[in-house]
Amino acid sequence: MWRLKFSQGDINDPSLASFNNHAGRQFWEFDPLITGTSQEQALIEKARADFRNSRYEIKQSSDLLMRIQLAKENGCGVVDLEQVKVESEEEVTEEKVVITLKRALRFYSTLQAEDGHWPGDYGGPLFLLPGLIISLYVMKALKTVLPEEHTKEICRYLYNHQNLDGGWGLHIEAQSGMFCTILNYVSLRLLGQEMDGGDGAMHKARTWILDHGGATYTPSWGKCWLSVLGVYEWDGNNPLPPEIWLLPYFLPVHPGRMWCHARMVYLPMSYLYGKRFVGPINSVVLSLRKELYNQDYHQIDWNLARNQCSKEDLYFPHPLLQDVLWKCLDKFAEPLLMQWPFSKLRNRALTTVMKHMEYDDVNSNYVCLGPVNKVLNMLCCWINDPNSTAVKRHLSRIKDYLWVAEDGMKMNGYNGSQLWDTVFAVQAIVGTNLPQEYGLMLKKAHQFIKISQMRKDSAGDLSLWYRHRCKGGWPFSTSDNGWPVSDCTSEGLKAAVMLSELPLEVAGEGLEQNKLYDSVDLILSLQNSNGGFASYELTRSYAWLEVINPSETFGDIVIDYQYVECTSAAIQGLKQFNKLYPNYRRKDIDTCIDKAVDFIESIQLSDGSWYGSWAVCYTYGTWFGITGLIKGGKTYENSLAVRKGCEFLLSKQLPSGGWGESYLSSQDKVYTNIGKDASHIVNTGWAMLALIEAGQAKRDPSPLHRAAKVLINSQMENGDFPQQEIIGVFNKNCMISYSAYRNIFPIWALGAYLNKVVKS
């Protein structure tokens, strides 16, 4: 039986390092000796069957395997409070809001792990598992790392998320594209599925591939993975010369100036390209060479294939300048670098690239920045030395990325969202002002926040490795990830200060003053000259570099842009800190906030909204925009930007009283409602929080009353809230699941509604 485990090391690698004794680590293991009760087994099978039967209408899993396990371990939470509803003509009463919140808090407390975080599904993208499967297959470790039960659940997941037309999209709600269709078809074949297996599903997938031109039309990342496997030629890839890492840093195109996620992915990709590495050619690989193309493999024009990309995947077409650049590198630079004495430069570049990968591996305890560079780094380490300790460490950390739900086993978009979800949950819980319902939740969450703060910088001279300082920061997931994020640090600071103001018996000891100072110092160091905050580091180069974005599938990946979310979070965190510590770097903080407010105002769109880059989309961005301005000293009365933001949100409220924004808003950059104008509890929560913060209750509370009804009536019988459409996003075009949001934001919004609307 599958069991979710927390805060544990690895029995096969007891020396696996951790900065905080593995706090926040979450992974699934299959234990054949645990069979569970017949009731548990029936619940699990029903959840799987229900998902399978409705998979074309409901693409998101509801994390039911985790909920079934934790209900047994922690109890159901809601035992003495009956569910309430508010009829369409009925007024919302304080009693019904309080009952809804109590039921929600009691249920949510049952989902908290013993170490204080809230676990959950962070899947959604469909290009992550294939990279892992191809790497393990090449390393001849597939059956060892992903034995029978893992393979069974991965196949379940891939078949469950295959579209009706036979293809797979970039994420679970997307239309089919060549990128994920070809990679997931290949993955299933490597996992042992026959070319016509899966009750016809494999045949449908192969038909989709061939009808859309074959494998040469996969985007660049797909071409790289297929080349590693040996079912595509490196000559069909645009150049990724590792020598770019030898350029002087003052050049704007130096990879050290790129957004960290882009540079950490293209770093190992350049190693693979520089070596032209190809895995062992066997009967499966030879068969795939026939299955994936409309012509004989050896007759393919690989030079023509380099720039082919299916229209379904082409989100960022190559500008002419990029095509010229790749052609010049391919025709002139690459042939030179393959010849002595220039080949010495290639060897030096490969050594440099490997050192950078090793640095990230060690300083992230082999978790790495994200799942793509994680498996790429692992593969490169294996190529460099298959028997190395690094390979062993990498293999031990694979489970950190795998998640099991009723739809199968997926690969998360990070090693979780533990810290991020926890600091939001804390703010939501405190905002209810129902201390009798807190139980141990806040004390446990506070301990997790404290133990997850980064206590020191990464090793060595940070400038040599193009790293910003870390000390005082908070990560998105766990401290073992090793990468602090600007908004996670700001929200972590905000939550830590908020908790330190509560009674000891409620929240425990506060974070030490010097550690709060470290956090403030880090936040201040991350502000750019224009007042905005990027995600991980300072913005190091220019937006025009996006012209060399080679991904074809993703937008805005080359540099670390400034975002309304990160900038607003910085204002909020610093303001919360200032209330308790008014004398620490007061002038610097005031200047920072003033510049940040100016930046937020400067990027507001003409319709009054802000584009949200990390969740869907304009409701999210506008929540941050309005809240940042108000915390920065603006009001509805004195700020045109706040007024326009409120007018925008009110204009998007649905007849039902809620808000419901489709992921297409992020992709197409135009506000788009969910189909049939359905409301979404998370969008509704964001809009409510923004409007309440801006004083909507004093002007006209009726939109808030209508929205509150939506949230109250959405609550489920057990106190949970339903999982709805996908709500997270990155790089404009790829969506990701934030499973905890379904609980956090209804609680947060209803808490604010109770205390700032109903009671006021």
Side-chain angles (χ1 to χ4, degrees), residues 101 430-434 750-760:
L101 283 169
V430 172
T432 65
N433 196 24
L434 295 171
L750 286 174
Y753 174 75
L754 173 66
N755 291 289
K756 297 180 180 180
V757 181
V758 176
K759 288 187 176 182
S760 67

Side-chain angles (χ1 to χ4, degrees), residues 351-390:
T351 300
T352 299
V353 164
M354 179 54 69
K355 286 180 179 177
H356 278 277
M357 282 188 276
E358 290 169 350
Y359 182 85
D360 183 46
D361 289 346
V362 171
N363 283 278
S364 68
N365 296 295
Y366 294 88
V367 172
C368 297
L369 176 57
V372 178
N373 83 298
K374 156 71 184 172
V375 295
L376 285 166
N377 281 17
M378 177 179 71
L379 177 61
C380 292
C381 287
W382 181 83
I383 294 167
N384 189 52
D385 181 359
N387 299 312
S388 66
T389 301

Side-chain angles (χ1 to χ4, degrees), residues 721-733:
F721 287 91
Q723 179 65 60
Q724 296 174 307
E725 288 79 2
I726 203 159
I727 203 68
V729 64
F730 59 91
N731 299 126
K732 311 291 187 188
N733 195 37

Side-chain angles (χ1 to χ4, degrees), residues 118-134:
W118 277 270
D121 179 352
Y122 189 59
L126 290 174
F127 59 89
L128 301 177
L129 271 174
L132 173 65
I133 291 166
I134 291 170

Side-chain angles (χ1 to χ4, degrees), residues 639-658:
S639 170
L640 177 61
V642 172
R643 293 196 296 275
K644 287 178 65 180
C646 291
E647 289 164 6
F648 169 80
L649 289 176
L650 291 170
S651 74
K652 301 302 180 185
Q653 190 171 24
L654 297 165
S656 65

Side-chain angles (χ1 to χ4, degrees), residues 74-107:
N74 302 333
C76 297
V78 179
V79 292
D80 58 351
L81 288 172
E82 290 190 9
Q83 187 175 8
V84 296
K85 298 288 183 183
V86 184
E87 300 300 327
S88 58
E89 301 303 319
E90 184 184 356
E91 285 191 8
V92 181
T93 64
E94 180 177 337
E95 180 187 17
K96 290 197 172 184
V97 180
V98 170
I99 290 173
T100 302
L101 283 169
K102 284 183 175 181
R103 297 176 81 254
L105 289 170
R106 291 179 192 182
F107 175 82

